[in-house]
Amino acid sequence: MLIKTANRLDGIGEYYFSQKLREIDTLNKAGKDILNLGIGSPDLPPHPEVIRVLQDTAAQPNVHAYQSYKGSPVLRKAVVTWYQQWYGVSLDPETEILPLIGSKEGIMHICMTYLNDGDEALIPNPGYPTYSSAVKLAGARPVPYTLSEEHNWQPDLDALAQSDLSKVKLMWVNYPHMPTGQLPSASFFERLIAFAQKHNILICHDNPYSFILNEQPVSLLSIPGAKEVVLELNSLSKSSNMAGWRVGMLAAAKERIDEVLRFKSNMDSGMFLPVQLAAAKALELGKDWYDSINTIYAERRTKVFEILDLLNCSYATGQVGMFVWAKIPATFTDGFALSDKVLYEASVFITPGGIFGDAGNGYIRVSLCGSIERFEEAIQRIKTRLVK
Ligand SMILES: Cc1ncc(COP(=O)(O)O)c(C=O)c1O
């Protein structure tokens, strides 16, 4: 039978990691035992109390029905308390929060809610590849804005203001930035809100990394006037070690939440209540929890710096988030060449920066999601197996 896939899939390839994981799997089957330092999926479990809430509530008879499309009031309240406590942002639990099945689905929902054929959305280069695919799947055109080390990986808003923004409806922004680990400056966030107001653009801020190796989490919603123009996505995947649980959230003005819910309520039928109650427990954890995971990430980061030194890469030591972003030495044409050499000679996989956009071509990204022993093993392999 010959059924052609929908046109909206044209130009949408398989997600880079799903392809690469297949190659790594094939190498493993051939006996290679590849150390994967690529993917940012926390390897440690959530807090034991979080798991206890899931277990206890799942054992009850009355928690198995469909749930509200807007999420459990317990989770919405926990999100609001968390936003107030950590970001100093006041939100209404009834109207300004929408729990999500991971923030990734929120990226798609926002694009489907606002973008028509022919519309444009600004996306960061380098940046999380899902922004561009979601914009394309929604029928619109992603317009990359370049980030560079010289400009602290922040967009040049003056240059953007000179470009034709007439078709731009959304701008995707993500700080702390993945993959570069750049923190936002307060003045940049203020200028961003003014830019959005002036050009009538919705800013979609994706904020899953603010607790990782960062003492001062910041929400874009904390900037005066932000609620008029900002939708903020957040997630428990990284900060609560709950990536596989699929819990995220959207925080925005009531009108925006209602608009996104018009789309989302046609896509899914709510989340399993015990997962929502356990997520609420995770959001109640105090500074001890974040300190405990950050102590581990900081220790791992020193090992990753060692790996990068061995590869003659340079990097900013003050970057935050779950990865280390590093500039490759001039002896390699790009990060893909370095990544391939390390994969085929030392059986260690490191992500080439170019998968995040061509402005990442001269870089690589190493994930902190692995035990110290794995990083030590990677150091040994690179020292002993890499052909000079
Ligand atoms: C920048 C960025 N946004 C969103 C996500 C997706 O997070 P979630 O697990 O909440 O869907 C990731 C995951 O890697 C990410 O790096």
Side-chain angles (χ1 to χ4, degrees), residues 57-65 67 273-274:
T57 48
Q60 290 168 13
N62 57 346
V63 295
H64 303 281
Q67 294 299 311
L273 183 61

Side-chain angles (χ1 to χ4, degrees), residues 22-135:
R22 244 198 342 268
E23 186 188 345
I24 290 174
D25 201 39
T26 311
L27 289 168
N28 281 335
K29 283 196 180 115
K32 285 289 189 196
D33 181 27
I34 306 296
L35 279 177
N36 186 344
L37 307 185
I39 280 196
S41 180
D43 53 311
L44 297 169
H47 193 284
E49 273 299 295
V50 173
I51 294 173
R52 190 189 58 74
V53 172
L54 176 73
Q55 286 173 327
D56 289 357
T57 48
Q60 290 168 13
N62 57 346
V63 295
H64 303 281
Y66 288 123
Q67 294 299 311
S68 152
Y69 295 107
K70 273 174 60 183
S72 151
V74 177
L75 177 54
R76 279 187 273 117
K77 259 192 99 182
V79 170
V80 164
T81 309
W82 187 71
Y83 254 84
Q84 186 70 60
Q85 178 183 354
W86 294 101
Y87 298 118
V89 169
S90 300
L91 295 163
D92 181 339
E94 277 305 308
T95 57
E96 295 181 326
I97 295 293
L98 181 60
L100 298 171
I101 306 173
S103 61
K104 190 171 180 178
E105 73 147 6
I107 298 171
M108 192 69 222
H109 293 339
I110 290 171
C111 290
M112 293 300 277
T113 300
Y114 294 105
L115 296 174
N116 286 317
D117 283 1
D119 285 343
E120 294 179 348
L122 296 170
I123 57 155
N125 172 18
Y128 185 46
T130 299
Y131 308 137
S132 141
S133 352
V135 169

Side-chain angles (χ1 to χ4, degrees), residues 149 180-183 213 297-298 301-302 304-306 308-309 313-321 323-326 368:
E149 202 168 337
T180 66
Q182 177 69 49
L183 275 170
L213 289 174
Y297 285 127
R301 188 167 57 173
T302 60
V304 170
F305 288 165
E306 261 185 69
L308 294 168
D309 291 341
C313 292
S314 52
Y315 47 85
T317 52
Q319 56 185 293
V320 307
F323 307 94
V324 181
W325 178 249
L368 297 175

Side-chain angles (χ1 to χ4, degrees), residues 102-104 107 128 131 174 178 206 208-209 235 237-238 243 246:
S103 61
K104 190 171 180 178
I107 298 171
Y128 185 46
Y131 308 137
N174 153 236
M178 197 292 300
D206 185 20
Y209 292 103
S235 172
S237 292
K238 327 284 175 178
R246 313 307 302 132

Side-chain angles (χ1 to χ4, degrees), residues 152-333:
N152 297 320
W153 304 108
Q154 296 184 11
D156 183 342
L157 295 176
D158 296 333
L160 271 179
Q162 299 302 312
S163 64
D164 177 10
L165 298 172
S166 57
K167 292 185 184 153
V168 173
K169 260 182 151 173
L170 306 182
M171 176 175 185
W172 284 97
V173 178
N174 153 236
Y175 289 93
H177 181 241
M178 197 292 300
T180 66
Q182 177 69 49
L183 275 170
S185 71
S187 74
F188 162 61
F189 266 6
E190 280 160 17
R191 283 184 292 117
L192 185 61
I193 298 302
F195 172 83
Q197 286 166 336
K198 176 159 183 212
H199 298 282
N200 198 29
I201 292 173
L202 274 181
I203 303 289
C204 306
H205 184 231
D206 185 20
N207 194 13
Y209 292 103
S210 57
F211 285 83
I212 309 298
L213 289 174
N214 179 28
E215 282 295 308
Q216 265 138 16
V218 176
S219 162
L220 184 55
L221 290 167
S222 66
I223 305 297
K227 240 185 235 174
E228 285 166 40
V229 287
V230 170
L231 295 107
E232 182 162 276
L233 293 170
N234 219 316
S235 172
L236 276 71
S237 292
K238 327 284 175 178
S239 50
S240 303
N241 286 344
M242 291 169 72
W245 293 52
R246 313 307 302 132
V247 188
M249 68 206 75
L250 175 64
K254 176 183 186 304
E255 295 72 23
R256 303 288 89 73
I257 296 288
D258 290 345
E259 287 156 359
V260 175
L261 192 59
R262 268 169 66 196
F263 180 79
K264 178 173 156 66
S265 59
N266 285 291
M267 288 291 101
D268 70 71
S269 302
M271 286 150 86
F272 187 38
L273 183 61
V275 168
Q276 298 194 55
L277 299 180
K281 172 57 76 178
L283 294 172
E284 284 166 17
L285 296 172
K287 189 164 185 309
D288 286 0
W289 164 257
Y290 300 109
D291 286 349
S292 70
I293 58 173
N294 282 328
T295 304
I296 295 170
Y297 285 127
E299 211 183 319
R300 293 172 175 182
R301 188 167 57 173
T302 60
K303 293 287 169 194
V304 170
F305 288 165
E306 261 185 69
I307 293 177
L308 294 168
D309 291 341
L310 283 172
L311 297 172
N312 293 319
C313 292
S314 52
Y315 47 85
T317 52
Q319 56 185 293
V320 307
M322 201 162 263
F323 307 94
V324 181
W325 178 249
K327 191 174 183 146
I328 61 166
T331 42
F332 289 95
T333 45

